[in-house]
Amino acid sequence: MTEMKKPWWKNAVVYQIYPKSFQDSNGDGIGDIKGIIGRLDYLEELGIDAVWLSPVYCSPQDDNGYDISDYQDIDPMFGNLSDMEELIREAKKHNIRIVMDLVLNHTSDEHRWFREAKKSKDNPYHDYYVWRDGVEGEYPNEMKAAFGGPAWEWVPEVNQYYFHQFSVKQPDLNWENPKVRREIYDMILWWMDKGVGGFRLDVIDQIAKEPDRMITNNGPRLHEFLQELSRETFQKGDLITVGEAWGATTEIAKLYSDPDGSEFSMVFQFEHMVMDQQEGKEKWDLAPLPFVRLKKCLAKWQNELYGKGWNSLFWDNHDLPRIVSRWGDDGKYRVESAKMLAVILHGMQGTPYVYQGEELGMTNVRFPDISDYKDIETLNLYRERLEGGYEKEDIMRSIYARSRDNARTPMQWSAGPSAGFTTGTPWIAVNPNYTEINAEEERKDPDSVYHFYRKLIRLRKTHPVFVDGKFNLLLPEDERIFAYTRTDGMHQMLVCANFTGEAAACPLDGKWKDAEMLIHNYGEDPAWSDDGERIMLKPYEAVMLCRKL
Ligand code: TEU
Ligand code: CA
């Protein structure tokens, strides 16, 4: 029998870069590709295997690059194609693969295809997009766009509406059209030829939309399209591919990430990220985190995908608030809670993603005025809620907790001007706490969040139980403690963490006291009860132990 080689990405840690906010190299206040090249040493030191780059293609930047006007060129703001090729080459020397962001559900309205498509109904590109006639002079139906307003926009030249699930400047591509699919595959093959290490697929569960039936996610033809996409492109290389799927259940995720490789390597699913909002409402309608439900949700994903699929592990990305502010404590226990959250996440099965600045324990930001915010979703929300009669203060409270700009403030490199991000004026203000929270300080401090992440990333490389161990949730009903084991044929690992700012005792069976301590977020050893059967956890304390079986 031939042993199937374990894919490299099961053992990998991916780092997400939001290029606009990572490192500026020319003083225009906008992060760029040369800036990233200059930080490869830092990334190698951290120990990551791949970088997922949010889009750097040509774009009018209506949605910060998620509105692409040319898939095969780089926006001048970020550099040019040869910078990109240099980044791929240089990253390889640091053992880092570059993962590109593919936005295939929509393009920019300034993409050549769309500029042609809207000229006339007989234009060969017309059918690249989704068009409908009006109904008695009104919208084809009442569907809404994710960034506010109707999902339909009228184009007088063709007497039709086009469909857009996101902003007006992001018309949806028509995947029913085989020509569209072929253009996309050729474009992907072109990037594969350039040596990229993989792709992250933006809102991929929305490509098979059927607006006449009000279907956005998980359309009937979705997996047919994905299997064709994978066959025509990804399967010709040794790539990491990850599909962003807000509408995934565990059953659907098994299709996306089937070990037979027919679709992707893994998924980004968000079930655990939408729990702290009011039932049936929007992410802006805040509610306390139902901790027990969170644990059970994560455990369900761990157990149901075991051996049948593969998950990604993340708390943060460019669309989400900073986890230490969200579920940790970004004041008194910032360092402890950031480390605790890292332990819980990295101990699970799946491929961990670290979002830029997460490894420093970067926090949410509170800009005094709405004019300091740049994100289209945030700005539209503000306008809509103001018109809807909400109090300014309430809207700002939601924005402070949930705005995507929390994740998009510049990377905090040093305590110097603009946090070392730029010598010019940053496109979005730096979080004022950069004087305390920054990479330069943290690299010097062995107890920093940064060094903790380094250690955690290295442990994954030396302990196979991280990759293969079977997950078992302990104390499922406990309101304060997050504890679980991972078990393979040889070892058992235990993660035991206090999710609160008060002391909490964690009962265990006696055999853990002499186990090897893999990582721990307090200076002194954890305190055990006299009978050795409970760990007396301090606020946000987290331990990871390992024993031979
Ligand atoms: O996000 C998908 C998506 O559904 C988001 O609009 C999400 O609902 C929102 O960010 C929650 O705050 C992807 C990209 O990650 C995002 O940056 C893009 O704006 C979006 O697709 C459109 O391309
Ligand atoms: Ca720049």
Side-chain angles (χ1 to χ4, degrees), residues 160-180:
Q160 281 186 313
Y161 292 88
Y162 67 85
F163 181 62
H164 63 93
Q165 298 190 64
F166 294 90
S167 95
V168 194
K169 286 183 67 61
Q170 292 167 302
D172 268 59
L173 280 167
N174 177 16
W175 273 71
E176 303 280 335
N177 182 347
K179 280 198 217 138
V180 170

Side-chain angles (χ1 to χ4, degrees), residues 63 66 103 106 146-147 166 170 200 202-203 206 244 246 283 318-319 377 404 408:
D63 184 21
Y66 284 90
V103 187
H106 45 266
F147 298 151
F166 294 90
Q170 292 167 302
R200 176 263 188 188
D202 191 62
V203 290
Q206 294 177 222
E244 186 200 26
W246 285 76
K283 72 172 198 175
H318 64 292
D319 294 331
E377 186 191 49
R404 305 198 294 183
R408 299 176 182 188

Side-chain angles (χ1 to χ4, degrees), residues 371-385:
S371 63
D372 299 317
Y373 286 85
K374 309 289 173 201
D375 170 34
I376 181 171
E377 186 191 49
T378 306
L379 298 174
N380 288 351
L381 172 276
Y382 184 82
R383 197 171 20 82
E384 279 187 3
R385 290 218 160 172

Side-chain angles (χ1 to χ4, degrees), residues 108-236:
S108 162
D109 64 341
E110 297 180 36
H111 193 288
R112 180 174 56 86
W113 300 339
F114 191 75
R115 283 197 268 113
E116 289 295 319
K118 67 176 188 193
K119 282 185 185 160
S120 80
K121 281 188 193 160
D122 346 297
N123 189 287
Y125 290 95
H126 188 71
D127 201 29
Y128 274 41
Y129 295 86
V130 181
W131 300 93
R132 293 292 183 273
D133 296 332
V135 176
E136 292 164 13
E138 292 289 329
Y139 296 119
N141 61 28
E142 67 272 29
M143 289 182 82
K144 296 272 173 268
F147 298 151
W152 300 102
E153 184 72 8
W154 177 250
V155 176
E157 291 89 330
V158 294
N159 248 313
Q160 281 186 313
Y161 292 88
Y162 67 85
F163 181 62
H164 63 93
Q165 298 190 64
F166 294 90
S167 95
V168 194
K169 286 183 67 61
Q170 292 167 302
D172 268 59
L173 280 167
N174 177 16
W175 273 71
E176 303 280 335
N177 182 347
K179 280 198 217 138
V180 170
R181 304 207 296 275
R182 190 66 251 166
E183 296 249 23
I184 288 173
Y185 306 153
D186 290 342
M187 175 275 286
I188 294 174
L189 291 169
W190 183 85
W191 277 109
M192 284 171 65
D193 224 39
K194 298 215 172 291
V196 302
F199 299 98
R200 176 263 188 188
L201 293 109
D202 191 62
V203 290
I204 200 68
D205 61 340
Q206 294 177 222
I207 60 169
K209 57 255 163 179
E210 292 195 7
D212 304 316
R213 298 163 66 195
M214 311 283 278
I215 295 174
T216 55
N217 311 74
N218 300 320
R221 295 188 67 186
L222 177 62
H223 294 278
E224 173 200 330
F225 291 154
L226 296 184
Q227 283 160 22
E228 184 186 271
L229 163 68
S230 173
R231 207 167 45 237
E232 295 289 335
T233 60
F234 312 143
Q235 288 172 36
K236 302 180 198 285

Side-chain angles (χ1 to χ4, degrees), residues 86-98:
E86 186 184 337
L87 172 61
I88 295 169
R89 237 183 3 254
E90 289 303 310
K92 201 171 268 164
K93 294 185 194 155
H94 291 78
N95 296 314
I96 294 172
R97 308 184 203 220
I98 300 294

